[in-house]
Every structure is written in C-alpha cells, then in structure tokens.
Amino acid sequence: MTSFTKEDFNQLLEEEGILHKASNMVDCPLLQFLAKNMSDDWKPLARYLNIDEPKITEIEHDNKHLSEQAFKALYTWREQDGRDATVGKLLEVVYFDLNNRLLISQAAGFLKRGEDKENSRSFSNQNTPVKLPPKVTAAQSTNNSPRSKCSTS
C-alpha cells in the first residue's frame, strides 16, 4: 500500500487547481456533490470525521437513501466542526483515510465549475445594481433542519 504525505496531498490540490480553496469552509453544494458521489463510503467517512456511532446509527435509521445518509453525515460534521469544517480538512480525510483520489478529482472539477460560474456572474453583473432579498426574521424562519438550510434535491 502506498504511503501518502501531506506534500503529496498539497501537490494534488495544486495540480487540481484548488489549493487556494483548502481553507474555505465547506458549503452545502459541495456536501451534496460529495454525498451523491461517495454514498457507499459514508459510514467510514463519518467515523474519520469523528461522528459517534449513535449518531451514525440515527442517520442511517432516519434517512432511507444512501446519498441522503451521506449528506446528513457530512452536514452533521459541518455543524459539529463549525469554522474548522474546511474544504481542505474534508478532502484530506478523503485522501488519507478513504484513499479516494478519484473523488478528490471529481470534487476539484465541481469546485472549479462553481468558481467559473461565480466569476462569470460577477463579471456580467459589474454595472448591474444588486437587488437584495427581504430580511427573514426568526419568527418567519421556523424550520432549522439541514434541508431548510441546504436543499438536497
């Protein structure tokens, strides 16, 4: 079995063009993408992300589909780790613990596509006034489930 180093990991992120994103907090679209593409590995990943066994059992019991179970586990980790739930930390676990370089390449492609969309949107909106959505008060927002914060559809 090949032993990988932190330098190998950083070089892979550099080759994939996403090293600059490693310190970003993970967002829901990335969690959804990973959940759909690594469903079978969600339990080992959850364990590597320090989600305890009772929570893993609860996630499995409460969610019928593998991709939803995977998403819920990733979402739980993000909520549990807060600001420490970064792209780099998540991909590092995928790389070192799951030994899944393909998933990292797929995630890199996803992240780059999102970056391309963001860049084209900001370029096309340079002279367009921004219309902000109305504020939502706590009384209006009663649903605090992951689905309300992050759609899984």
Side-chain angles (χ1 to χ4, degrees), residues 12-76:
L12 175 61
L13 296 186
E14 182 69 38
E15 288 169 6
E16 293 289 351
I18 60 167
L19 184 60
H20 65 285
K21 290 188 172 277
S23 62
N24 294 2
M25 287 182 60
V26 294
D27 60 10
C28 289
L30 178 61
L31 297 182
Q32 292 165 339
F33 176 83
L34 290 172
K36 288 178 183 174
N37 288 283
M38 54 74 62
S39 299
D40 293 342
D41 288 333
W42 81 266
K43 283 185 195 177
L45 180 64
R47 290 181 186 108
Y48 289 125
L49 293 172
N50 296 316
I51 298 172
D52 60 31
E53 288 300 321
K55 186 65 179 176
I56 291 171
T57 301
E58 176 188 325
I59 290 169
E60 186 173 32
H61 180 265
D62 291 349
N63 301 280
K64 183 174 150 181
H65 302 287
L66 281 175
S67 62
E68 184 65 22
Q69 293 169 355
F71 171 77
K72 184 67 176 193
L74 291 168
Y75 185 85
T76 298

Short mmCIF file of all heavy atoms in Angstrom, two decimals, residues 12-76:
data_model
loop_
_atom_site.label_atom_id
_atom_site.label_comp_id
_atom_site.label_asym_id
_atom_site.label_seq_id
_atom_site.Cartn_x
_atom_site.Cartn_y
_atom_site.Cartn_z
N LEU A 12 -1.38 17.45 -5.02
CA LEU A 12 -2.59 17.04 -5.73
C LEU A 12 -3.58 18.20 -5.81
O LEU A 12 -4.14 18.48 -6.88
CB LEU A 12 -3.24 15.84 -5.04
CG LEU A 12 -4.58 15.38 -5.63
CD1 LEU A 12 -4.44 14.95 -7.09
CD2 LEU A 12 -5.17 14.25 -4.79
N LEU A 13 -3.79 18.90 -4.70
CA LEU A 13 -4.70 20.06 -4.72
C LEU A 13 -4.18 21.14 -5.66
O LEU A 13 -4.97 21.77 -6.37
CB LEU A 13 -4.90 20.63 -3.31
CG LEU A 13 -5.58 19.72 -2.29
CD1 LEU A 13 -5.83 20.49 -1.00
CD2 LEU A 13 -6.87 19.13 -2.82
N GLU A 14 -2.88 21.32 -5.69
CA GLU A 14 -2.28 22.30 -6.61
C GLU A 14 -2.50 21.87 -8.05
O GLU A 14 -2.91 22.67 -8.90
CB GLU A 14 -0.78 22.45 -6.31
CG GLU A 14 -0.08 23.47 -7.18
CD GLU A 14 -0.49 24.90 -6.87
OE1 GLU A 14 -0.69 25.23 -5.69
OE2 GLU A 14 -0.61 25.68 -7.83
N GLU A 15 -2.24 20.59 -8.35
CA GLU A 15 -2.44 20.07 -9.71
C GLU A 15 -3.90 20.20 -10.14
O GLU A 15 -4.18 20.47 -11.30
CB GLU A 15 -2.03 18.60 -9.78
CG GLU A 15 -0.54 18.37 -9.72
CD GLU A 15 -0.18 16.89 -9.54
OE1 GLU A 15 -1.08 16.03 -9.58
OE2 GLU A 15 1.02 16.61 -9.35
N GLU A 16 -4.80 20.00 -9.19
CA GLU A 16 -6.23 20.08 -9.49
C GLU A 16 -6.72 21.53 -9.55
O GLU A 16 -7.85 21.80 -9.92
CB GLU A 16 -7.05 19.31 -8.45
CG GLU A 16 -6.83 17.81 -8.47
CD GLU A 16 -7.43 17.13 -9.69
OE1 GLU A 16 -8.18 17.77 -10.46
OE2 GLU A 16 -7.14 15.94 -9.90
N GLY A 17 -5.85 22.46 -9.15
CA GLY A 17 -6.20 23.88 -9.22
C GLY A 17 -7.11 24.35 -8.10
O GLY A 17 -7.83 25.34 -8.26
N ILE A 18 -7.07 23.68 -6.95
CA ILE A 18 -7.96 24.07 -5.85
C ILE A 18 -7.24 24.28 -4.52
O ILE A 18 -7.89 24.44 -3.49
CB ILE A 18 -9.10 23.04 -5.64
CG1 ILE A 18 -8.55 21.65 -5.32
CG2 ILE A 18 -10.03 23.02 -6.85
CD1 ILE A 18 -9.59 20.69 -4.81
N LEU A 19 -5.92 24.33 -4.53
CA LEU A 19 -5.18 24.55 -3.29
C LEU A 19 -5.64 25.82 -2.58
O LEU A 19 -5.76 25.86 -1.36
CB LEU A 19 -3.68 24.57 -3.55
CG LEU A 19 -2.78 24.68 -2.31
CD1 LEU A 19 -3.00 23.50 -1.37
CD2 LEU A 19 -1.32 24.75 -2.72
N HIS A 20 -5.95 26.86 -3.36
CA HIS A 20 -6.39 28.13 -2.79
C HIS A 20 -7.75 28.02 -2.08
O HIS A 20 -8.12 28.90 -1.31
CB HIS A 20 -6.44 29.21 -3.87
CG HIS A 20 -7.47 28.96 -4.93
ND1 HIS A 20 -7.30 28.01 -5.92
CD2 HIS A 20 -8.69 29.52 -5.13
CE1 HIS A 20 -8.38 28.00 -6.70
NE2 HIS A 20 -9.23 28.91 -6.24
N LYS A 21 -8.48 26.94 -2.30
CA LYS A 21 -9.79 26.77 -1.67
C LYS A 21 -9.72 25.93 -0.39
O LYS A 21 -10.72 25.76 0.30
CB LYS A 21 -10.76 26.09 -2.64
CG LYS A 21 -11.16 26.99 -3.79
CD LYS A 21 -12.26 26.33 -4.59
CE LYS A 21 -12.80 27.26 -5.62
NZ LYS A 21 -13.80 28.18 -5.09
N ALA A 22 -8.56 25.40 -0.06
CA ALA A 22 -8.44 24.47 1.07
C ALA A 22 -8.88 25.08 2.39
O ALA A 22 -9.43 24.37 3.25
CB ALA A 22 -7.00 23.96 1.18
N SER A 23 -8.69 26.37 2.58
CA SER A 23 -9.06 26.98 3.86
C SER A 23 -10.50 27.48 3.89
O SER A 23 -10.98 27.96 4.92
CB SER A 23 -8.11 28.14 4.18
OG SER A 23 -8.20 29.13 3.19
N ASN A 24 -11.21 27.36 2.76
CA ASN A 24 -12.63 27.76 2.74
C ASN A 24 -13.47 26.78 3.54
O ASN A 24 -13.24 25.57 3.51
CB ASN A 24 -13.17 27.77 1.31
CG ASN A 24 -12.54 28.81 0.42
OD1 ASN A 24 -11.65 29.55 0.83
ND2 ASN A 24 -12.98 28.86 -0.81
N MET A 25 -14.49 27.32 4.20
CA MET A 25 -15.45 26.44 4.87
C MET A 25 -16.24 25.69 3.81
O MET A 25 -16.52 26.23 2.74
CB MET A 25 -16.40 27.24 5.76
CG MET A 25 -15.73 27.77 7.01
SD MET A 25 -16.88 28.66 8.08
CE MET A 25 -18.09 27.40 8.44
N VAL A 26 -16.59 24.45 4.08
CA VAL A 26 -17.40 23.69 3.13
C VAL A 26 -18.78 24.30 3.04
O VAL A 26 -19.31 24.83 4.03
CB VAL A 26 -17.50 22.18 3.50
CG1 VAL A 26 -16.16 21.50 3.40
CG2 VAL A 26 -18.10 21.98 4.86
N ASP A 27 -19.36 24.25 1.85
CA ASP A 27 -20.72 24.76 1.67
C ASP A 27 -21.64 23.61 1.28
O ASP A 27 -21.19 22.50 0.98
CB ASP A 27 -20.75 25.89 0.66
CG ASP A 27 -20.27 25.49 -0.72
OD1 ASP A 27 -20.07 24.28 -0.99
OD2 ASP A 27 -20.10 26.38 -1.57
N CYS A 28 -22.92 23.87 1.31
CA CYS A 28 -23.90 22.83 1.03
C CYS A 28 -23.77 22.23 -0.36
O CYS A 28 -23.89 21.01 -0.50
CB CYS A 28 -25.31 23.35 1.29
SG CYS A 28 -25.61 23.57 3.04
N PRO A 29 -23.55 23.02 -1.40
CA PRO A 29 -23.40 22.38 -2.71
C PRO A 29 -22.27 21.36 -2.76
O PRO A 29 -22.42 20.30 -3.36
CB PRO A 29 -23.14 23.56 -3.66
CG PRO A 29 -23.82 24.72 -2.99
CD PRO A 29 -23.60 24.49 -1.51
N LEU A 30 -21.15 21.64 -2.10
CA LEU A 30 -20.06 20.66 -2.08
C LEU A 30 -20.47 19.42 -1.28
O LEU A 30 -20.20 18.29 -1.70
CB LEU A 30 -18.78 21.27 -1.49
CG LEU A 30 -17.59 20.30 -1.37
CD1 LEU A 30 -17.18 19.77 -2.76
CD2 LEU A 30 -16.42 20.97 -0.68
N LEU A 31 -21.14 19.61 -0.16
CA LEU A 31 -21.60 18.45 0.62
C LEU A 31 -22.55 17.59 -0.20
O LEU A 31 -22.46 16.36 -0.19
CB LEU A 31 -22.31 18.91 1.90
CG LEU A 31 -21.46 19.68 2.93
CD1 LEU A 31 -22.30 20.01 4.16
CD2 LEU A 31 -20.21 18.91 3.31
N GLN A 32 -23.46 18.23 -0.92
CA GLN A 32 -24.41 17.50 -1.75
C GLN A 32 -23.68 16.74 -2.87
O GLN A 32 -23.99 15.58 -3.13
CB GLN A 32 -25.44 18.46 -2.35
CG GLN A 32 -26.36 19.03 -1.31
CD GLN A 32 -27.13 20.24 -1.81
OE1 GLN A 32 -26.75 20.89 -2.77
NE2 GLN A 32 -28.24 20.53 -1.14
N PHE A 33 -22.73 17.39 -3.49
CA PHE A 33 -21.97 16.75 -4.56
C PHE A 33 -21.23 15.52 -4.02
O PHE A 33 -21.30 14.44 -4.61
CB PHE A 33 -20.98 17.74 -5.18
CG PHE A 33 -20.10 17.09 -6.21
CD1 PHE A 33 -20.55 16.93 -7.50
CD2 PHE A 33 -18.84 16.63 -5.87
CE1 PHE A 33 -19.75 16.31 -8.46
CE2 PHE A 33 -18.04 16.01 -6.81
CZ PHE A 33 -18.49 15.84 -8.11
N LEU A 34 -20.52 15.69 -2.92
CA LEU A 34 -19.78 14.56 -2.35
C LEU A 34 -20.72 13.44 -1.92
O LEU A 34 -20.42 12.27 -2.13
CB LEU A 34 -18.93 15.03 -1.18
CG LEU A 34 -17.73 15.91 -1.54
CD1 LEU A 34 -17.08 16.48 -0.29
CD2 LEU A 34 -16.72 15.15 -2.38
N ALA A 35 -21.84 13.79 -1.31
CA ALA A 35 -22.79 12.78 -0.86
C ALA A 35 -23.29 11.92 -2.02
O ALA A 35 -23.43 10.71 -1.89
CB ALA A 35 -23.97 13.44 -0.14
N LYS A 36 -23.53 12.55 -3.15
CA LYS A 36 -24.01 11.80 -4.32
C LYS A 36 -22.92 10.95 -4.95
O LYS A 36 -23.21 9.96 -5.60
CB LYS A 36 -24.57 12.77 -5.37
CG LYS A 36 -25.88 13.37 -4.95
CD LYS A 36 -26.38 14.36 -5.98
CE LYS A 36 -27.67 15.01 -5.48
NZ LYS A 36 -28.13 16.07 -6.36
N ASN A 37 -21.67 11.32 -4.76
CA ASN A 37 -20.57 10.63 -5.42
C ASN A 37 -19.79 9.68 -4.52
O ASN A 37 -18.90 8.98 -5.01
CB ASN A 37 -19.62 11.65 -6.04
CG ASN A 37 -20.23 12.29 -7.25
OD1 ASN A 37 -20.28 11.69 -8.31
ND2 ASN A 37 -20.77 13.49 -7.09
N MET A 38 -20.09 9.65 -3.24
CA MET A 38 -19.36 8.73 -2.35
C MET A 38 -20.29 7.98 -1.41
O MET A 38 -19.87 7.50 -0.38
CB MET A 38 -18.29 9.48 -1.55
CG MET A 38 -18.75 10.68 -0.74
SD MET A 38 -19.66 10.42 0.78
CE MET A 38 -18.54 9.53 1.76
N SER A 39 -21.52 7.82 -1.78
CA SER A 39 -22.53 7.26 -0.91
C SER A 39 -22.09 6.00 -0.17
O SER A 39 -22.33 5.85 1.02
CB SER A 39 -23.81 6.97 -1.69
OG SER A 39 -24.32 8.15 -2.23
N ASP A 40 -21.46 5.07 -0.88
CA ASP A 40 -21.08 3.80 -0.26
C ASP A 40 -20.06 3.96 0.87
O ASP A 40 -19.98 3.10 1.75
CB ASP A 40 -20.52 2.84 -1.31
CG ASP A 40 -21.58 2.41 -2.31
OD1 ASP A 40 -22.78 2.56 -2.03
OD2 ASP A 40 -21.19 1.93 -3.39
N ASP A 41 -19.28 5.02 0.83
CA ASP A 41 -18.23 5.22 1.83
C ASP A 41 -18.65 6.16 2.96
O ASP A 41 -17.81 6.61 3.73
CB ASP A 41 -16.98 5.80 1.16
CG ASP A 41 -16.26 4.79 0.30
OD1 ASP A 41 -16.37 3.59 0.57
OD2 ASP A 41 -15.58 5.22 -0.66
N TRP A 42 -19.93 6.46 3.09
CA TRP A 42 -20.32 7.50 4.04
C TRP A 42 -20.05 7.10 5.49
O TRP A 42 -19.66 7.94 6.29
CB TRP A 42 -21.76 7.95 3.83
CG TRP A 42 -22.83 7.08 4.41
CD1 TRP A 42 -23.51 6.08 3.79
CD2 TRP A 42 -23.36 7.13 5.74
NE1 TRP A 42 -24.42 5.51 4.64
CE2 TRP A 42 -24.35 6.14 5.85
CE3 TRP A 42 -23.09 7.92 6.86
CZ2 TRP A 42 -25.08 5.92 7.02
CZ3 TRP A 42 -23.79 7.69 8.03
CH2 TRP A 42 -24.77 6.71 8.10
N LYS A 43 -20.25 5.83 5.86
CA LYS A 43 -20.03 5.45 7.26
C LYS A 43 -18.57 5.55 7.66
O LYS A 43 -18.26 6.15 8.70
CB LYS A 43 -20.57 4.05 7.53
CG LYS A 43 -22.07 3.99 7.66
CD LYS A 43 -22.48 2.58 8.04
CE LYS A 43 -23.93 2.34 7.86
NZ LYS A 43 -24.30 0.95 8.15
N PRO A 44 -17.64 4.97 6.88
CA PRO A 44 -16.23 5.16 7.25
C PRO A 44 -15.83 6.63 7.29
O PRO A 44 -15.11 7.06 8.20
CB PRO A 44 -15.46 4.40 6.16
CG PRO A 44 -16.43 3.45 5.58
CD PRO A 44 -17.78 4.08 5.73
N LEU A 45 -16.32 7.40 6.31
CA LEU A 45 -16.01 8.83 6.30
C LEU A 45 -16.54 9.50 7.57
O LEU A 45 -15.84 10.30 8.20
CB LEU A 45 -16.58 9.51 5.06
CG LEU A 45 -16.31 11.00 4.94
CD1 LEU A 45 -14.81 11.27 4.80
CD2 LEU A 45 -17.06 11.60 3.78
N ALA A 46 -17.77 9.17 7.96
CA ALA A 46 -18.35 9.75 9.17
C ALA A 46 -17.48 9.43 10.39
O ALA A 46 -17.25 10.29 11.23
CB ALA A 46 -19.77 9.23 9.37
N ARG A 47 -17.00 8.20 10.46
CA ARG A 47 -16.14 7.82 11.59
C ARG A 47 -14.83 8.60 11.57
O ARG A 47 -14.37 9.08 12.61
CB ARG A 47 -15.88 6.32 11.55
CG ARG A 47 -17.10 5.51 11.89
CD ARG A 47 -16.84 3.99 11.86
NE ARG A 47 -18.09 3.29 12.04
CZ ARG A 47 -18.72 2.61 11.07
NH1 ARG A 47 -18.20 2.52 9.86
NH2 ARG A 47 -19.87 2.01 11.32
N TYR A 48 -14.24 8.75 10.38
CA TYR A 48 -13.00 9.53 10.27
C TYR A 48 -13.21 10.99 10.63
O TYR A 48 -12.30 11.68 11.06
CB TYR A 48 -12.41 9.43 8.86
CG TYR A 48 -11.82 8.08 8.52
CD1 TYR A 48 -12.25 7.38 7.40
CD2 TYR A 48 -10.84 7.49 9.32
CE1 TYR A 48 -11.72 6.15 7.08
CE2 TYR A 48 -10.30 6.25 9.00
CZ TYR A 48 -10.74 5.58 7.89
OH TYR A 48 -10.22 4.36 7.56
N LEU A 49 -14.44 11.48 10.43
CA LEU A 49 -14.77 12.86 10.77
C LEU A 49 -15.25 13.00 12.22
O LEU A 49 -15.78 14.03 12.61
CB LEU A 49 -15.84 13.40 9.81
CG LEU A 49 -15.38 13.55 8.36
CD1 LEU A 49 -16.57 13.89 7.46
CD2 LEU A 49 -14.28 14.58 8.23
N ASN A 50 -15.07 11.94 13.01
CA ASN A 50 -15.37 11.93 14.44
C ASN A 50 -16.85 12.07 14.77
O ASN A 50 -17.23 12.68 15.77
CB ASN A 50 -14.56 12.98 15.20
CG ASN A 50 -13.07 12.70 15.12
OD1 ASN A 50 -12.65 11.56 15.28
ND2 ASN A 50 -12.30 13.72 14.82
N ILE A 51 -17.70 11.50 13.92
CA ILE A 51 -19.12 11.41 14.25
C ILE A 51 -19.29 10.10 15.01
O ILE A 51 -18.84 9.05 14.55
CB ILE A 51 -19.98 11.44 12.96
CG1 ILE A 51 -19.77 12.77 12.24
CG2 ILE A 51 -21.45 11.21 13.30
CD1 ILE A 51 -20.42 12.86 10.89
N ASP A 52 -19.93 10.17 16.17
CA ASP A 52 -20.01 8.98 17.02
C ASP A 52 -21.01 7.95 16.48
O ASP A 52 -21.90 8.26 15.69
CB ASP A 52 -20.29 9.34 18.48
CG ASP A 52 -21.60 10.08 18.67
OD1 ASP A 52 -22.56 9.86 17.91
OD2 ASP A 52 -21.66 10.88 19.62
N GLU A 53 -20.84 6.71 16.91
CA GLU A 53 -21.65 5.60 16.42
C GLU A 53 -23.16 5.79 16.64
O GLU A 53 -23.94 5.48 15.75
CB GLU A 53 -21.19 4.27 17.03
CG GLU A 53 -19.87 3.77 16.49
CD GLU A 53 -19.86 3.51 14.99
OE1 GLU A 53 -20.86 3.00 14.44
OE2 GLU A 53 -18.85 3.82 14.35
N PRO A 54 -23.59 6.29 17.81
CA PRO A 54 -25.04 6.50 17.95
C PRO A 54 -25.60 7.48 16.92
O PRO A 54 -26.69 7.27 16.39
CB PRO A 54 -25.19 7.06 19.37
CG PRO A 54 -23.99 6.56 20.10
CD PRO A 54 -22.89 6.53 19.07
N LYS A 55 -24.84 8.51 16.58
CA LYS A 55 -25.28 9.47 15.57
C LYS A 55 -25.31 8.82 14.19
O LYS A 55 -26.23 9.06 13.40
CB LYS A 55 -24.38 10.72 15.57
CG LYS A 55 -24.87 11.81 14.66
CD LYS A 55 -26.21 12.37 15.14
CE LYS A 55 -26.69 13.47 14.26
NZ LYS A 55 -28.02 13.97 14.64
N ILE A 56 -24.32 7.99 13.88
CA ILE A 56 -24.29 7.28 12.60
C ILE A 56 -25.51 6.36 12.49
O ILE A 56 -26.18 6.33 11.44
CB ILE A 56 -22.98 6.49 12.44
CG1 ILE A 56 -21.80 7.47 12.28
CG2 ILE A 56 -23.05 5.51 11.27
CD1 ILE A 56 -20.43 6.82 12.32
N THR A 57 -25.82 5.66 13.56
CA THR A 57 -27.00 4.78 13.57
C THR A 57 -28.27 5.60 13.38
O THR A 57 -29.16 5.20 12.61
CB THR A 57 -27.06 4.00 14.89
OG1 THR A 57 -25.85 3.23 15.02
CG2 THR A 57 -28.26 3.07 14.94
N GLU A 58 -28.36 6.74 14.03
CA GLU A 58 -29.52 7.61 13.89
C GLU A 58 -29.67 8.11 12.44
O GLU A 58 -30.77 8.10 11.88
CB GLU A 58 -29.39 8.81 14.83
CG GLU A 58 -30.49 9.84 14.71
CD GLU A 58 -30.19 11.08 15.54
OE1 GLU A 58 -29.61 10.96 16.64
OE2 GLU A 58 -30.54 12.18 15.06
N ILE A 59 -28.57 8.52 11.86
CA ILE A 59 -28.59 9.00 10.47
C ILE A 59 -29.08 7.88 9.55
O ILE A 59 -29.92 8.10 8.68
CB ILE A 59 -27.19 9.50 10.04
CG1 ILE A 59 -26.86 10.81 10.77
CG2 ILE A 59 -27.10 9.66 8.53
CD1 ILE A 59 -25.42 11.25 10.63
N GLU A 60 -28.56 6.69 9.75
CA GLU A 60 -28.95 5.56 8.91
C GLU A 60 -30.43 5.23 9.08
O GLU A 60 -31.14 4.98 8.11
CB GLU A 60 -28.09 4.34 9.26
CG GLU A 60 -28.30 3.17 8.35
CD GLU A 60 -27.31 2.06 8.61
OE1 GLU A 60 -26.87 1.88 9.77
OE2 GLU A 60 -26.98 1.36 7.65
N HIS A 61 -30.90 5.26 10.31
CA HIS A 61 -32.30 4.95 10.61
C HIS A 61 -33.26 6.00 10.06
O HIS A 61 -34.32 5.68 9.54
CB HIS A 61 -32.48 4.80 12.12
CG HIS A 61 -33.87 4.49 12.53
ND1 HIS A 61 -34.77 5.46 12.90
CD2 HIS A 61 -34.52 3.30 12.60
CE1 HIS A 61 -35.93 4.89 13.20
NE2 HIS A 61 -35.81 3.59 13.03
N ASP A 62 -32.87 7.27 10.16
CA ASP A 62 -33.76 8.38 9.79
C ASP A 62 -33.79 8.70 8.30
O ASP A 62 -34.65 9.46 7.85
CB ASP A 62 -33.37 9.66 10.55
CG ASP A 62 -33.66 9.54 12.04
OD1 ASP A 62 -34.34 8.59 12.46
OD2 ASP A 62 -33.18 10.43 12.78
N ASN A 63 -32.86 8.17 7.53
CA ASN A 63 -32.76 8.51 6.12
C ASN A 63 -32.70 7.24 5.27
O ASN A 63 -31.83 6.40 5.47
CB ASN A 63 -31.51 9.36 5.87
CG ASN A 63 -31.55 10.64 6.68
OD1 ASN A 63 -32.20 11.58 6.31
ND2 ASN A 63 -30.87 10.64 7.82
N LYS A 64 -33.60 7.13 4.34
CA LYS A 64 -33.78 5.91 3.56
C LYS A 64 -32.69 5.71 2.50
O LYS A 64 -32.20 4.60 2.31
CB LYS A 64 -35.15 5.97 2.90
CG LYS A 64 -35.55 4.77 2.11
CD LYS A 64 -36.99 4.93 1.65
CE LYS A 64 -37.22 4.22 0.35
NZ LYS A 64 -38.58 4.37 -0.14
N HIS A 65 -32.31 6.77 1.82
CA HIS A 65 -31.38 6.66 0.68
C HIS A 65 -29.94 6.91 1.11
O HIS A 65 -29.66 7.76 1.95
CB HIS A 65 -31.78 7.65 -0.41
CG HIS A 65 -33.18 7.43 -0.91
ND1 HIS A 65 -33.52 6.37 -1.70
CD2 HIS A 65 -34.32 8.12 -0.69
CE1 HIS A 65 -34.81 6.41 -1.97
NE2 HIS A 65 -35.32 7.47 -1.37
N LEU A 66 -29.02 6.17 0.48
CA LEU A 66 -27.59 6.32 0.80
C LEU A 66 -27.10 7.74 0.61
O LEU A 66 -26.34 8.25 1.44
CB LEU A 66 -26.75 5.37 -0.06
CG LEU A 66 -26.70 3.92 0.37
CD1 LEU A 66 -25.93 3.10 -0.66
CD2 LEU A 66 -26.06 3.79 1.74
N SER A 67 -27.50 8.39 -0.47
CA SER A 67 -27.00 9.75 -0.70
C SER A 67 -27.50 10.71 0.38
O SER A 67 -26.79 11.63 0.78
CB SER A 67 -27.37 10.26 -2.09
OG SER A 67 -28.76 10.33 -2.25
N GLU A 68 -28.71 10.49 0.86
CA GLU A 68 -29.24 11.33 1.94
C GLU A 68 -28.51 11.03 3.25
O GLU A 68 -28.22 11.94 4.04
CB GLU A 68 -30.75 11.12 2.09
CG GLU A 68 -31.39 12.02 3.12
CD GLU A 68 -31.35 13.51 2.77
OE1 GLU A 68 -31.22 13.89 1.60
OE2 GLU A 68 -31.44 14.32 3.71
N GLN A 69 -28.20 9.77 3.50
CA GLN A 69 -27.42 9.41 4.69
C GLN A 69 -26.04 10.06 4.64
O GLN A 69 -25.57 10.62 5.63
CB GLN A 69 -27.29 7.88 4.79
CG GLN A 69 -28.59 7.17 5.06
CD GLN A 69 -28.50 5.66 4.89
OE1 GLN A 69 -27.48 5.12 4.47
NE2 GLN A 69 -29.59 4.97 5.21
N ALA A 70 -25.41 9.98 3.46
CA ALA A 70 -24.08 10.58 3.29
C ALA A 70 -24.15 12.09 3.50
O ALA A 70 -23.30 12.67 4.21
CB ALA A 70 -23.53 10.26 1.90
N PHE A 71 -25.16 12.73 2.90
CA PHE A 71 -25.30 14.17 3.07
C PHE A 71 -25.49 14.53 4.54
O PHE A 71 -24.86 15.44 5.06
CB PHE A 71 -26.46 14.73 2.24
CG PHE A 71 -26.74 16.16 2.57
CD1 PHE A 71 -25.92 17.16 2.08
CD2 PHE A 71 -27.77 16.51 3.41
CE1 PHE A 71 -26.13 18.49 2.41
CE2 PHE A 71 -28.00 17.83 3.75
CZ PHE A 71 -27.18 18.83 3.25
N LYS A 72 -26.38 13.82 5.21
CA LYS A 72 -26.66 14.11 6.62
C LYS A 72 -25.41 13.94 7.48
O LYS A 72 -25.16 14.75 8.39
CB LYS A 72 -27.80 13.20 7.10
CG LYS A 72 -28.25 13.48 8.50
CD LYS A 72 -28.91 14.83 8.65
CE LYS A 72 -29.42 14.96 10.07
NZ LYS A 72 -30.31 16.03 10.27
N ALA A 73 -24.60 12.93 7.18
CA ALA A 73 -23.35 12.74 7.93
C ALA A 73 -22.39 13.91 7.69
O ALA A 73 -21.81 14.46 8.63
CB ALA A 73 -22.69 11.42 7.52
N LEU A 74 -22.25 14.32 6.43
CA LEU A 74 -21.38 15.45 6.11
C LEU A 74 -21.91 16.74 6.73
O LEU A 74 -21.13 17.54 7.26
CB LEU A 74 -21.24 15.61 4.59
CG LEU A 74 -20.46 14.51 3.89
CD1 LEU A 74 -20.63 14.61 2.38
CD2 LEU A 74 -19.00 14.56 4.27
N TYR A 75 -23.20 16.92 6.68
CA TYR A 75 -23.82 18.11 7.27
C TYR A 75 -23.61 18.12 8.79
O TYR A 75 -23.30 19.16 9.38
CB TYR A 75 -25.31 18.16 6.93
CG TYR A 75 -25.95 19.43 7.40
CD1 TYR A 75 -25.91 20.57 6.61
CD2 TYR A 75 -26.59 19.50 8.63
CE1 TYR A 75 -26.49 21.76 7.04
CE2 TYR A 75 -27.18 20.67 9.07
CZ TYR A 75 -27.12 21.79 8.27
OH TYR A 75 -27.69 22.96 8.71
N THR A 76 -23.76 16.96 9.41
CA THR A 76 -23.53 16.84 10.86
C THR A 76 -22.10 17.23 11.20
O THR A 76 -21.86 17.98 12.16
CB THR A 76 -23.83 15.40 11.33
OG1 THR A 76 -25.21 15.12 11.07
CG2 THR A 76 -23.53 15.22 12.81
#
